[in-house]
Amino acid sequence: LSAWLDARSGIFTGWYVGDQPSSQSSLNALRRGIESYGIPNNVYVDNGREILTFDIGGRGHRAKKRLADGSIPFAPPGVFERLGIKMTNATVRNARAKLVERRFEDVKNYVSRLFPTYTGGNVVEKPDRLKHVLKAGKIPTDAEVIAAIDTLITGYLNCEPYGGSVAEDRCMRRIDVHRARCPVVRKADKEDLRLMLMRTSKPVTVDRDGVRIPIKGIKIDFYDPDFVRQLQGKQVYVRFDPDDLGSVRAYDMDDRFLCALPQSKLTAGYLATQDQIAELQAAKRRAERATAEFAAALKLPDDPQMALELMTTLAARNIAELPVGVSAKSIKLVRDAEEPLLRAVGDLDMSLMTQNIIKRRGGMEDDDDL
């Protein structure tokens, strides 16, 4: 669960359920929060790479003024800058400073435990019924989990009594505190919000095939003939919506919008979203793991005698399955047409001997009769 928390009331404003924490999961949660509660003026985050990446909040304390080759690092306007959000980072190694971590404890105790497949954070918390639940196959689907979490956060956790430090608000629910105390809400229409939440690529050089952008380990080409004709050999970068990879927006290195580039026809149609690419890569990794496990199972045992017996048994089985002889269609007679340069010593030439005898006798006996 990636989530954003309102510091004043303690409600969850935006959240996203995914396979693992990532920068895109954080942006997806932020998008949902903005759609429901508006654009925040300030955000307070930790120092994880989910936020401190060059195209969201900047690299923070990891930023370098100069690279090893002396060049200035590529630093386009990030998502927070385009949204007008001020980012504050928590002090490193200060867990008490991250209030959202305490709310995740509530998610664990009051939401996660409701699912039959709850495993707990450690062996002690692991329920005894879990093995029976798994054996019976009573496992909720991803869609069921996400739907339940959406309902429980909106109607349960966000509607709990306020327990913050402001005494006059403790008679109210958290959601009522947010509605009563929330400042002016900054809103953006759907298209503007989509543009401001786009991800940013690293600089790429335009070649005759357009621009090639690596997304989730797969390189996708985006091409326009006029764009290539004018900018081939120059560097640009693109902004893209992970939920719609049908086209990207190209910018020059001074952050000026150039044009929208459609996905190349060679790859269009089956790489429409980042989730599809991630699913394709996951399937590839599963196949690689299965292959590795199969190869490991075929390894010879450490005992030489067992290895010898195993291999001789396999070889004997193969020999038994071999056909006897060869097919008649496979037989082709081959003659050696090569004549020797020298004859063997003592080899007799009967033809030459016959001719010499005829000469000595003055011809054949029946020559007069011819």
Side-chain angles (χ1 to χ4, degrees), residues 6 8 10 15 19 32 36 71-72 81 85 159 171 177 194 196 204 220 240 304-305 321 347 358:
D6 177 54
R8 175 65 176 82
W15 57 91
D19 293 333
R32 292 190 60 179
S36 300
S71 61
I72 298 176
E81 183 178 345
I85 299 175
C159 293
C171 60
V177 172
R194 187 182 77 88
M196 289 186 287
V204 292
I220 306 178
F240 60 92
Q305 184 61 35
E321 294 175 354
D347 192 10
I358 292 173

Side-chain angles (χ1 to χ4, degrees), residues 74-131:
F74 176 61
V79 171
F80 288 167
E81 183 178 345
R82 294 199 296 269
L83 289 169
I85 299 175
K86 179 184 177 182
M87 181 181 68
T88 302
N89 295 101
T91 304
V92 179
R93 296 180 181 178
N94 182 15
R96 293 183 178 181
K98 294 182 287 186
L99 301 178
V100 71
E101 299 292 348
R102 304 179 192 176
R103 289 293 280 166
F104 278 123
E105 185 74 15
D106 294 338
V107 173
K108 173 184 175 181
N109 292 329
Y110 303 120
V111 175
S112 299
R113 291 180 184 272
L114 299 177
F115 290 95
T117 49
Y118 171 72
T119 61
N122 51 54
V123 178
V124 177
E125 296 178 348
K126 184 177 179 180
D128 294 334
R129 71 174 188 277
L130 179 61
K131 60 182 180 180

Side-chain angles (χ1 to χ4, degrees), residues 4 12 27 31 106 110 158 171 176 216 275 329 358:
W4 294 88
F12 287 95
L27 277 188
R31 182 194 297 269
D106 294 338
Y110 303 120
N158 283 358
C171 60
D176 296 330
K216 289 289 185 178
D275 289 341
K329 296 181 180 179
I358 292 173

Side-chain angles (χ1 to χ4, degrees), residues 14-306:
W15 57 91
Y16 180 80
V17 179
D19 293 333
Q20 59 185 359
S22 67
S23 56
Q24 190 57 47
S25 296
S26 300
L27 277 188
N28 291 341
L30 180 63
R31 182 194 297 269
R32 292 190 60 179
I34 291 174
E35 290 173 349
S36 300
Y37 298 99
I39 303 172
N41 295 318
N42 301 277
V43 292
Y44 183 71
V45 298
D46 61 13
N47 296 274
R49 295 185 182 273
E50 293 83 3
I51 298 297
L52 292 188
T53 183
F54 78 100
D55 65 335
I56 297 182
R59 297 193 182 279
H61 67 277
R62 298 188 181 95
K64 297 180 180 179
K65 295 182 179 180
R66 295 280 180 178
L67 298 177
D69 58 0
S71 61
I72 298 176
F74 176 61
V79 171
F80 288 167
E81 183 178 345
R82 294 199 296 269
L83 289 169
I85 299 175
K86 179 184 177 182
M87 181 181 68
T88 302
N89 295 101
T91 304
V92 179
R93 296 180 181 178
N94 182 15
R96 293 183 178 181
K98 294 182 287 186
L99 301 178
V100 71
E101 299 292 348
R102 304 179 192 176
R103 289 293 280 166
F104 278 123
E105 185 74 15
D106 294 338
V107 173
K108 173 184 175 181
N109 292 329
Y110 303 120
V111 175
S112 299
R113 291 180 184 272
L114 299 177
F115 290 95
T117 49
Y118 171 72
T119 61
N122 51 54
V123 178
V124 177
E125 296 178 348
K126 184 177 179 180
D128 294 334
R129 71 174 188 277
L130 179 61
K131 60 182 180 180
H132 303 291
V133 171
L134 297 178
K135 186 176 181 179
K138 299 178 181 179
I139 303 174
T141 64
D142 290 352
E144 292 171 343
V145 170
I146 293 172
I149 289 177
D150 289 345
T151 302
L152 290 169
I153 289 180
T154 303
Y156 177 39
L157 293 183
N158 283 358
C159 293
E160 287 181 313
Y162 172 75
S165 58
V166 182
E168 60 181 337
D169 292 340
R170 290 180 181 171
C171 60
M172 304 168 64
R173 297 180 304 174
R174 292 182 184 273
I175 189 65
D176 296 330
V177 172
H178 181 271
R179 291 171 177 171
R181 313 301 183 192
C182 183
V184 177
V185 176
R186 296 191 300 142
K187 285 284 189 177
D189 62 47
K190 188 174 182 179
E191 181 59 24
D192 287 337
L193 185 60
R194 187 182 77 88
L195 294 177
M196 289 186 287
L197 287 172
M198 280 185 167
R199 303 303 303 271
T200 302
S201 75
K202 297 291 183 67
V204 292
T205 301
V206 181
D207 58 22
R208 63 182 182 180
D209 295 326
V211 293
R212 179 167 293 176
I213 308 300
I215 298 176
K216 289 289 185 178
I218 293 181
K219 295 181 179 179
I220 306 178
D221 293 330
F222 297 89
Y223 176 80
D224 179 81
D226 294 333
F227 174 81
V228 172
R229 185 164 50 250
Q230 297 179 34
L231 295 173
Q232 187 171 353
K234 296 183 179 180
Q235 276 198 326
V236 298
Y237 75 92
V238 304
R239 291 177 182 163
F240 60 92
D241 182 358
D243 292 331
D244 181 10
L245 296 177
S247 65
V248 297
R249 295 169 60 87
Y251 293 79
D252 65 13
M253 300 308 292
D254 294 324
D255 197 40
R256 293 176 297 191
F257 174 64
L258 298 173
C259 67
L261 294 175
Q263 189 179 138
S264 172
K265 294 181 179 180
L266 297 177
T267 56
Y270 64 93
L271 293 177
T273 68
Q274 181 171 293
D275 289 341
Q276 290 178 345
I277 297 175
E279 188 174 324
L280 179 64
Q281 291 293 75
K284 177 183 175 183
R285 287 192 292 270
R286 286 195 297 270
E288 291 174 347
R289 285 198 297 269
T291 303
E293 292 172 359
F294 182 71
L298 291 179
K299 288 183 178 178
L300 293 175
D302 294 333
D303 186 352
Q305 184 61 35
M306 290 181 61

Side-chain angles (χ1 to χ4, degrees), residues 274-345:
Q274 181 171 293
D275 289 341
Q276 290 178 345
I277 297 175
E279 188 174 324
L280 179 64
Q281 291 293 75
K284 177 183 175 183
R285 287 192 292 270
R286 286 195 297 270
E288 291 174 347
R289 285 198 297 269
T291 303
E293 292 172 359
F294 182 71
L298 291 179
K299 288 183 178 178
L300 293 175
D302 294 333
D303 186 352
Q305 184 61 35
M306 290 181 61
L308 178 61
E309 293 177 358
L310 173 63
M311 294 310 297
T312 52
T313 302
L314 291 175
R317 183 184 303 172
N318 291 337
I319 292 173
E321 294 175 354
L322 290 176
V324 179
V326 296
S327 173
K329 296 181 180 179
S330 302
I331 299 174
K332 182 179 181 181
L333 297 178
V334 179
R335 294 182 181 275
D336 185 8
E338 192 175 38
E339 292 290 339
L341 293 177
L342 298 176
R343 296 184 181 276
V345 176

